[in-house]
Amino acid sequence: MAETPEVLEGTETMNGQAAEGTWEPKILGILCNWCSYAGADLAGSARLQHPPNVRIVRVPCSGRVDPQFVLKGFMRGFDGVLVSGCHPGDCHYAKGNYYARRRLTLLTRFLETMGIPRERFQFQWVSASEGARWAESVREMTERIRKLGPFQGVGRPVPLLIPVVARQSEAQAVGVEAR
Amino acid sequence: MNSQTEQIRTEARRLLESGEVSVVIGYGPGSTPARATPVFVRRAEDVDRLFWSPACAQNLALYVREQAGRGKVAVVAKGCDARSIATLIQEKQIRREDVHIIGVSCSGVVDPGRLAPAGLDEGTLKSLAAENGGLKADCGDGEVPLEREAVLKRACLFCDTPVPPLSDTLIGEAPPLQPAADQTLPEDLDARREFWAEQFSKCVRCYACRQVCPACYCKECFTDRLPVGWVSKRIAGPENWMYHTTRAFHLAGRCVGCGECERVCPAGIPIQTLMRRMASEVDALFGYRAGMDPDAEPVLATYRDDDDGPAE
């Protein structure tokens, strides 16, 4: 079964429910396999210090980034979302990042319509050789989100904690293997 | 009988008698003068079932798409409806040569759900008519003028295409009306987030907005996927938010602002406020308006080398 159950480890403390003073920005990073992911990898192997606040999801191309990925990130309570792909002209699939640019530029403006400040969403180009640029953008974004504070969430607050046991039996009932 | 009704019937008769189209999709009288119902006329002798009035609210582009592949059809279309049809042609859901558009210039249609709040008893309503951009109703004691702002489908107040930009037959002239500016959305971002949280908390996920939308034609909607798809079926703040924002994004550069989603919403969510904002962002970024040109490339299915985006 391809679908993942709605159990996401570690999300329980999101939506600003963390204890006072211990809050750390949680940033969802969606990175293209060919440029930004390799760039982030380079930052690591070069031992470039940068904050551990970005949780990285690797996608084949920034053109694969459905705006829904970003919306879902905010829905699940991430404090910020970072999408990073190849520079224009460098796309492994020739033009995926051009399509992404249209959608994600529109998304930035749309988020403001929804009341989400554009500072919480970053869309950037980082190539495979730009490890330093990756580290710098993570530092910069983490600090910016830290200043903005926890994301207040979308929709009216609802209990986010459905006991995991119940969730597991629910998942089994619909044929998904629980983790 | 108003002159538009007469002209629609004449044109429908001509199209059916000549065999040019197999069916004319139009409006017929509904249960009260404030309601119309879609009718499908297949024989020339039945054209008197067709009529035109300020009650013709539905967007019939929905049915044009359903008839795709069954030969040529004719459809009665307002400005917004004609733009919907153009969008469907752009997206290759229907072929231009398979549809004859009987375009009708429109000065706005009535939302029956707004009559009672405006102090009008639909039960005693005898007639409803449009005149020079104004509205008149008769509730048994003579014709009285109606306030457009109070009874029109909300989207009509913001309409900037009263004349169909695409048509084969055009009936009527442009009404002397100016579109209003939507002031619904608060300026402050936090207030905005709260505003939408409150609005979406009313949503019961009946999906009427999706069902009535000519542009929502996916065979499988993201929200119907099982077992657990992009958004769960739970009716709760974040899930409702996810449903509405995703739907808005799926309609980016495609929504023509006919406002049917908002009219059929049982919870009264101002869906069009969201859609209008999206449409104006698309216009500002890409200089594109949905459904104005059936030959144009859909805006998010293409790109330009010099699009706005992050710096190098």
Side-chain angles (χ1 to χ4, degrees), chain A residues 1 3-6 15 64 66-75 87-88 94-95 98-99 101-119 123-125 133 151-160 162 167 174-176, chain B residues 185 188-190 192-194 196-198 200-201 222 225-232 234 236-239 241-242 244-246 248-250 252-253 273-274 277-278 280-282 284-286 298-312:
Chain A
M1 205 53 82
E3 259 80 16
T4 345
E6 283 275 278
N15 279 1
R64 173 66 182 89
D66 189 324
Q68 209 175 7
F69 295 180
V70 179
L71 296 172
K72 183 125 187 185
F74 285 114
M75 174 196 151
H87 289 270
K95 50 191 183 179
Y98 287 107
Y99 289 107
R101 184 168 65 180
R102 281 221 147 175
R103 286 181 215 133
L104 298 175
T105 307
L106 181 60
L107 178 67
T108 312
R109 289 172 168 236
F110 177 65
L111 287 175
E112 290 211 320
T113 299
M114 300 311 298
I116 299 173
R118 60 176 65 193
E119 290 80 15
F123 170 40
Q124 64 182 25
W125 317 120
R133 182 180 166 117
F151 180 52
Q152 297 302 311
V154 298
R156 281 283 155 83
V158 285
L160 197 71
I162 295 173
R167 287 276 189 100
V174 290
V176 182
Chain B
L185 200 61
D188 178 65
L189 290 189
D190 279 334
R192 258 182 210 180
R193 216 187 57 247
E194 266 306 303
W196 289 120
E198 191 192 332
F200 295 153
S201 72
F222 71 96
R225 298 202 61 197
L226 282 171
V228 180
W230 271 101
V231 51
S232 90
R234 188 171 67 151
E239 277 83 356
W241 182 91
M242 191 69 194
H244 284 280
T245 49
T246 305
F249 221 93
H250 286 177
T273 298
L274 190 58
R277 286 292 292 224
M278 186 64 110
S280 72
E281 302 292 15
V282 169
L285 277 171
F286 311 119
V299 70
L300 289 183
T302 184
Y303 66 87
R304 280 175 44 169
D305 287 346
D306 60 349
D307 277 339
D308 281 353
E312 284 297 303

Side-chain angles (χ1 to χ4, degrees), chain B residues 57-218:
Chain B
Q58 293 92 343
N59 185 339
L60 301 179
L62 190 66
Y63 304 110
V64 176
R65 203 193 62 80
E66 284 171 6
Q67 296 286 322
R70 294 188 203 166
K72 186 164 180 171
V73 303
V75 61
V76 177
K78 308 182 287 291
C80 45
D81 310 342
R83 288 177 66 186
S84 275
I85 292 166
T87 308
L88 291 171
I89 293 168
Q90 283 177 277
E91 294 169 0
K92 305 197 167 27
Q93 295 300 308
I94 48 177
R95 295 189 305 174
R96 178 69 186 94
E97 57 268 31
D98 283 347
V99 56
H100 181 103
I101 302 170
I102 305 173
V104 184
S105 293
C106 165
S107 53
V109 291
V110 166
D111 179 349
R114 298 188 75 198
L115 293 181
L120 211 74
D121 180 9
E122 201 184 341
T124 60
L125 196 62
K126 298 261 185 304
S127 74
L128 188 69
E131 209 170 70
N132 295 330
L135 278 175
K136 279 182 178 172
D138 182 359
C139 284
D141 28 68
E143 279 197 330
V144 287
L146 286 183
E147 207 180 328
R148 296 178 82 244
E149 284 72 20
V151 296
L152 282 195
K153 175 154 91 168
R154 259 187 92 243
C156 296
L157 302 172
F158 311 103
C159 174
D160 58 359
T161 40
V163 181
L166 179 71
S167 64
D168 298 290
T169 313
L170 186 58
I171 294 170
E173 283 165 17
L177 295 167
Q178 286 297 317
D182 193 350
Q183 311 280 349
T184 317
L185 200 61
E187 274 308 306
D188 178 65
L189 290 189
D190 279 334
R192 258 182 210 180
R193 216 187 57 247
E194 266 306 303
F195 171 80
W196 289 120
E198 191 192 332
Q199 294 299 332
F200 295 153
S201 72
K202 297 189 290 187
C203 178
V204 293
R205 300 278 281 282
C206 66
Y207 304 128
C209 48
R210 180 188 73 184
Q211 297 308 111
V212 82
C213 179
C216 265
Y217 54 71
C218 287

